[in-house]
Amino acid sequence: MGPLATHDFYRKVIECTPAADDPQHIPVVMVADTQIPLRIPAWEGRGPSPLPALIKAAQQCVGAGATVLAMPCNTAHFWFEELVAALPRNVQFLHIADETVRCLPQALPQEMSPGMSQARRIALAGTHVTLAMKLYQQAAQRLGMNADWLLPSEDEQALITAVIADVKAGCIDQAVAHFNSAVQALEQRGAEAVILGCTELPVIAQSVASRVRLIDATDCLARACVQACKP
Amino acid sequence: MGPLATHDFYRKVIECTPAADDPQHIPVVMVADTQIPLRIPAWEGRGPSPLPALIKAAQQCVGAGATVLAMPCNTAHFWFEELVAALPRNVQFLHIADETVRCLPQALPQEMSPGMSQARRIALAGTHVTLAMKLYQQAAQRLGMNADWLLPSEDEQALITAVIADVKAGCIDQAVAHFNSAVQALEQRGAEAVILGCTELPVIAQSVASRVRLIDATDCLARACVQACKP
């Protein structure tokens, strides 16, 4: 949905594909329909549902031969089940939060002794909708993973909301400054890691000077896609 | 065709679109079919023609609503006319060399007094097929532009061929080193500017320390697309 987020996802698909020339890369169909009704207003009941447009985009991908689908937009996962239900059963639609939770065991910093079962303190960064619908908490529950979720305070969320708007508007320097402040605040409150639970965030994450681990949901989704496409 | 080249083209479309949020961006459909038969062996009569696959990919874009088409691969423009002929007449298919030649007057260094009609010395970098089919020379002729083309020597072409393969394999550092040598050689032979006439080249061009102007055909094509999509 966000063009830079989609672009970032595509780069990660390319980079984590072991390939020495074009034919060894995965054929990709991308429908980056920027006219899909906005997800946040729809969720808040202030605008039309994006679901019909999401279904149409997914069907266009399937029509062009896609068998593994992904949607690099966390907020849009609010409509995930309805979207999957509208598609042929033989396509595999990967869920961004499920794939990120699957990455957590390797992605978390390993200071603690292995085998310890204490829940890790993981902060969530995303749109307020992604947080309100508990996208990551429910994925962890589905996959039997225990975490001590650290949710952004109102001030921290205001910073994260600003970062997302900055990236969508192409104001990268401003986005980095805002996100640095947000991550520092979450770190001071004890976060061991921060899940980048909005696909606009990894676009600027490499420029953020953070001591906590930033867990890139876009990267987890891209890796899962490449894995699923293996012959 | 090359995934990183396609990725680079998409970024340029995003970056040259004036947009403050998602809906102001252009809806993009991308069919990055890495299984399209290889263009160079086909041109050399050593492999199947990519034309049927190119037509299919373009038709998939049109089927998903695209009205402006572009193909960020110079070599594949060998099949451009046949491809356009197979598509509905109401789609606009932009030609990478035509759009690049249209950019030349502004893109060339302005040392010379304006109004001088002397042909400028422009080097061409691309696959040996793009050079053999005179893609840029013919575009310049079509558009009434006079240039003094500087073609790569055998050694320079070997370097450029290596750069293209390096980028396709993701070996970026090696690509930069090879391209630095090629550009220096062309500069020493009097090039005022070098047209990056293979879409793998701009992927690494920003890392090349060049005093001559590098003219990015991918960027010219992206700008023309954004212009053509203006309401």
Side-chain angles (χ1 to χ4, degrees):
Chain A
M1 266 132 273
L4 281 178
T6 308
H7 179 266
D8 182 52
F9 172 72
Y10 181 38
R11 174 148 202 126
K12 283 162 182 164
V13 168
I14 297 168
E15 285 184 342
C16 72
T17 304
D21 57 16
D22 293 352
Q24 291 179 6
H25 278 278
I26 297 166
V28 172
V29 181
M30 184 186 91
V31 177
D33 182 0
T34 54
Q35 306 307 304
I36 291 176
L38 292 172
R39 286 64 65 193
I40 293 178
W43 185 82
E44 291 173 341
R46 297 184 289 109
S49 167
L51 183 61
L54 292 174
I55 292 172
K56 190 174 161 203
Q59 284 173 337
Q60 286 169 339
C61 291
V62 173
T67 54
V68 174
L69 271 75
M71 178 165 66
C73 172
N74 286 268
T75 309
H77 278 68
F78 181 72
W79 294 272
F80 183 81
E81 281 78 18
E82 290 169 278
L83 175 53
V84 170
L87 297 175
R89 289 203 172 189
N90 60 339
V91 302
Q92 186 182 359
F93 207 135
L94 300 177
H95 186 289
I96 193 166
D98 284 8
E99 297 310 329
T100 304
V101 167
R102 285 201 180 97
C103 289
L104 281 180
Q106 293 102 314
L108 285 174
Q110 297 295 327
E111 293 108 279
M112 301 168 81
S113 23
M116 278 190 68
S117 59
Q118 199 187 321
R120 312 292 295 265
R121 195 150 178 78
I122 303 172
L124 280 175
T127 66
H128 67 279
V129 175
T130 296
L131 299 188
M133 64 169 152
K134 298 188 191 301
L135 187 70
Y136 283 86
Q137 297 94 316
Q138 287 180 0
Q141 215 160 22
R142 266 197 298 276
L143 296 165
M145 180 170 163
N146 198 12
D148 175 16
W149 299 106
L150 178 65
L151 301 179
S153 68
E154 213 168 291
D155 287 354
E156 289 157 0
Q157 187 58 44
L159 286 168
I160 293 165
T161 301
V163 177
I164 296 167
D166 292 340
V167 172
K168 284 183 185 289
C171 304
I172 301 302
D173 291 348
Q174 195 170 301
V176 171
H178 281 140
F179 200 48
N180 259 320
S181 306
V183 170
Q184 272 173 23
L186 291 166
E187 186 184 341
Q188 277 165 11
R189 293 208 290 127
E192 283 187 74
V194 180
I195 290 183
L196 306 178
C198 169
T199 51
E200 259 71 33
L201 301 176
V203 171
I204 52 113
Q206 282 200 316
S207 309
V208 169
S210 159
R211 274 179 305 172
V212 297
R213 192 70 57 96
L214 301 179
I215 295 171
D216 181 343
T218 304
D219 193 56
C220 298
L221 184 62
R223 285 178 189 283
C225 283
V226 171
Q227 190 64 33
C229 289
K230 272 194 182 158
Chain B
M1 266 132 273
L4 281 177
T6 308
H7 179 265
D8 182 54
F9 173 72
Y10 182 39
R11 175 149 204 125
K12 283 162 182 164
V13 168
I14 297 169
E15 285 184 342
C16 74
T17 305
D21 58 13
D22 293 351
Q24 291 179 7
H25 278 278
I26 297 166
V28 173
V29 181
M30 183 185 91
V31 177
D33 183 358
T34 54
Q35 306 309 304
I36 291 176
L38 292 172
R39 285 65 64 193
I40 293 178
W43 185 83
E44 291 172 343
R46 297 184 290 108
S49 168
L51 183 60
L54 292 173
I55 293 172
K56 191 175 161 203
Q59 283 173 338
Q60 286 168 339
C61 291
V62 173
T67 54
V68 174
L69 271 76
M71 178 166 66
C73 172
N74 286 270
T75 310
H77 278 67
F78 180 71
W79 294 271
F80 184 80
E81 281 76 22
E82 289 169 278
L83 175 52
V84 170
L87 297 175
R89 289 203 173 187
N90 59 340
V91 302
Q92 187 181 358
F93 207 135
L94 301 176
H95 186 289
I96 194 166
D98 284 8
E99 298 311 330
T100 304
V101 167
R102 284 200 180 95
C103 289
L104 281 179
Q106 293 102 314
L108 285 174
Q110 296 295 325
E111 293 108 278
M112 301 168 81
S113 23
M116 277 188 68
S117 59
Q118 199 187 324
R120 313 290 297 263
R121 193 149 179 77
I122 304 172
L124 280 176
T127 65
H128 67 279
V129 174
T130 296
L131 300 188
M133 65 171 152
K134 298 187 189 301
L135 188 70
Y136 283 85
Q137 295 93 316
Q138 287 180 0
Q141 213 160 21
R142 266 197 299 276
L143 296 163
M145 180 170 163
N146 196 11
D148 174 16
W149 300 105
L150 177 64
L151 301 179
S153 67
E154 214 168 292
D155 286 353
E156 289 157 1
Q157 187 57 44
L159 285 167
I160 293 165
T161 300
V163 177
I164 296 167
D166 292 341
V167 172
K168 286 184 184 287
C171 304
I172 301 302
D173 291 348
Q174 195 170 302
V176 170
H178 281 139
F179 200 49
N180 259 321
S181 305
V183 170
Q184 273 174 24
L186 291 166
E187 188 186 340
Q188 279 166 10
R189 292 208 290 129
E192 283 188 72
V194 179
I195 291 183
L196 307 178
C198 169
T199 52
E200 260 71 32
L201 301 176
V203 171
I204 52 111
Q206 282 198 316
S207 308
V208 169
S210 158
R211 274 180 303 172
V212 297
R213 192 71 57 95
L214 300 180
I215 295 172
D216 181 342
T218 305
D219 193 56
C220 298
L221 184 62
R223 286 178 189 281
C225 283
V226 171
Q227 190 64 31
C229 289
K230 273 196 180 156

